[in-house]
Amino acid sequence: MSVRSGRHYTAIPGPSVMPDRVLQAMHRAAPNIYSPELADLVGTIVPDLKAIAGTKHHAAMYIANGHGVWEAVVSNTLNRGDKVLVPATGRFAFGWAAMAERMGVECDILDFGKRSPIDLDAVATALAADKAHQIKAVLAVHVDTSTSVKNDIEGLRAVLDAAKHPALLMADCMASLGCDRFEMDALGVDVMLAGCQKGLMTPPGMGFIFFNDKADAVRGTCTQTSHYWDWRPRMAPEEFYQYFDGTAPTHQLFALREALNMINEEGLENVWARHETLARAYWAAIDAWGQGGPMELNIANPALRGHSVTAVRIGASHGTALRDWLEAEMGVTLGVGLGMAEPNDPAWHGFFRIGHMGHVNGHMVMGALGAIQSGLIALGIPHGPGALDAAAQICANP
Ligand SMILES: Cc1ncc(COP(=O)(O)O)c(C=O)c1O
């Protein structure tokens, strides 16, 4: 006997839950891509995306996932032989650096491990040592989805300014846009990238780059920008097809428009506050379980945790056993631990992640927590009491 039947809840850190409204927006016949309907729709999407990004500057949209916009950023801002600084706090900075290296960019990686944020002093030292200003950009991930650490992007700006260093500040907000407060212009970020499949609640396949005039001036010096990745026609298209350098992703645009409507209706401040409350509910429960067992939040300091994803350590092989049990018996899928151990290492089975990004509310979180508690009981994994009470307190008194 299992109690799995019913609506399945996939609580992985992206792609996230798609609202019924978003799904229904795609349930329609193909539009004529030459009609004004689609151009008008995109004309409403761009300003809304910029508002969520906190920028008055430029935006370019791509039919691409996060890897695609990583490459697009490199293609528009760097030349072969350029050097960048990559402060790494988990899997995703390494992924971006690998992309840049393949394109001939030299990456100086500062590895801060799997449980710590970027050390601003170490970045300051690296910038101070770069007297000739060979470092052309700092590539930083805002919320790393593997470790769930949140980095201090404002602090990075301050460090660059204090060093009077002209490098571009580039931020990966794949896991934070529409979840964690991030106001690009106010933070002094030159380039920001994000995707549609996490906080923006849209099926994977669209990526976005936001950039300011300083970054666009650098674009003017790039000699290798490919036709497809070039952000210039996309930022100010003379003809509609230039938004996407070809056929527009019609149904994703319908989906994205509806998702943006939902964010606008709730209000971005409320969206951020909801993510924070739900994250705190998870953390409170995990802390309580951890009082009597092996469960532990990967990032010890709450101020350094992202609000969209929580990385949890529970010891091998409890992580895999719990995930498998939840999926088979409760209809809940949690994310695998990412980048914590090699997949062929038994330690790999000691981690899991919970996605709480986008279309998530209190009952989904309380339901997932109740399911996890059931799993801990069923599998005999030691755990402290009071986890559900602690989470309920936070939902009751946000
Ligand atoms: C922070 C971050 N950057 C980049 C990526 C890569 O995005 P994609 O898997 O869409 O290529 C991800 C994916 O989860 C991510 O979380």
Side-chain angles (χ1 to χ4, degrees):
M1 213 293 281
S2 117
V3 290
R4 185 189 59 216
S5 286
R7 180 173 279 231
H8 195 94
Y9 179 20
T10 302
I12 64 173
S16 62
V17 173
M18 287 176 282
D20 289 346
R21 276 174 64 179
V22 168
L23 291 170
Q24 282 153 10
M26 292 184 287
H27 195 83
R28 51 161 291 177
N32 176 2
I33 56 166
Y34 301 104
S35 74
E37 179 197 359
L38 213 53
D40 291 348
L41 183 81
V42 173
T44 69
I45 285 176
V46 175
D48 282 6
L49 284 174
K50 285 193 204 172
I52 293 176
T55 184
K56 294 197 165 9
H57 299 292
H58 314 292
M61 297 181 289
Y62 295 86
I63 301 177
N65 57 17
H67 283 69
V69 284
W70 273 343
E71 184 164 314
V73 166
V74 174
S75 182
N76 280 282
T77 56
L78 297 161
N79 285 315
R80 266 191 181 280
D82 280 350
K83 190 195 267 200
V84 296
L85 189 66
V86 186
T89 57
R91 178 72 204 79
F92 289 96
F94 290 98
W96 197 2
M99 218 84 189
E101 274 169 353
R102 181 70 78 87
M103 295 171 79
V105 173
E106 190 187 327
C107 295
D108 277 359
I109 297 181
L110 299 175
D111 186 359
F112 300 110
K114 300 176 170 72
R115 306 195 71 178
S116 307
I118 293 171
D119 176 349
L120 296 177
D121 290 341
V123 174
T125 303
L127 292 174
D130 180 36
K131 302 260 184 292
H133 292 169
Q134 286 179 322
I135 295 171
K136 299 296 177 202
V138 177
L139 277 53
V141 176
H142 182 215
V143 171
D144 185 289
T145 325
S146 63
T147 58
S148 65
V149 75
K150 177 160 59 190
N151 284 308
D152 179 1
I153 303 296
E154 191 176 14
L156 278 177
R157 174 79 270 160
V159 164
L160 277 158
D161 289 350
K164 296 196 169 40
H165 201 292
L168 292 175
L169 176 56
M170 316 219 279
D172 172 337
C173 291
M174 283 296 293
S176 56
L177 189 72
C179 305
D180 266 280
R181 180 179 294 280
F182 187 92
E183 292 156 300
M184 173 173 164
D185 293 352
L187 293 173
V189 169
D190 299 303
V191 179
M192 188 267 269
L193 66 85
C196 66
Q197 76 267 29
K198 298 188 197 271
L200 299 188
M201 308 177 285
T202 299
M206 282 184 74
F208 314 105
I209 306 180
F210 305 90
F211 52 98
N212 61 15
D213 289 339
K214 178 180 172 186
D216 191 51
V218 172
R219 157 70 192 85
T221 68
C222 288
T223 53
Q224 300 193 117
T225 313
S226 69
H227 190 285
Y228 190 75
W229 289 135
D230 193 356
W231 69 32
R232 284 200 159 158
R234 293 170 190 257
M235 74 192 245
E238 286 169 12
E239 294 188 55
F240 177 67
Y241 83 91
Q242 292 175 313
Y243 268 120
F244 293 98
D245 204 19
T247 303
T250 54
H251 284 63
Q252 277 191 299
L253 291 167
F254 297 138
L256 180 60
R257 179 62 269 164
E258 195 56 35
L260 295 171
N261 291 345
M262 292 177 70
I263 291 173
N264 290 345
E265 285 162 24
E266 185 175 356
L268 190 55
E269 287 287 343
N270 294 330
V271 169
W272 287 334
R274 171 169 53 82
H275 279 83
E276 181 178 355
T277 298
L278 298 178
R280 285 173 45 232
Y282 272 121
W283 304 340
I286 293 164
D287 278 339
W289 284 323
Q291 296 302 310
M295 210 188 285
E296 187 193 353
L297 287 154
N298 185 54
I299 301 299
N301 181 349
L304 303 176
R305 296 179 198 140
H307 295 163
S308 54
V309 53
T310 296
V312 186
R313 313 170 81 89
I314 190 172
S317 55
H318 292 323
T320 299
L322 186 62
R323 280 191 307 99
D324 289 350
W325 189 90
L326 286 171
E327 196 159 67
E329 305 297 333
M330 298 293 282
V332 174
T333 302
L334 301 181
V336 297
L338 197 62
M340 294 295 178
E342 293 303 315
N344 54 3
D345 180 345
W348 188 87
H349 298 283
F351 306 90
F352 65 89
R353 290 174 304 152
I354 309 168
H356 32 95
M357 43 177 61
H359 193 53
V360 186
N361 62 18
H363 84 73
M364 294 160 83
V365 169
M366 291 306 297
L369 286 168
I372 294 171
Q373 171 127 335
S374 304
L376 295 172
I377 294 168
L379 297 170
I381 301 173
H383 57 280
L388 299 182
D389 283 343
Q393 280 295 344
I394 288 181
C395 290
N397 304 296

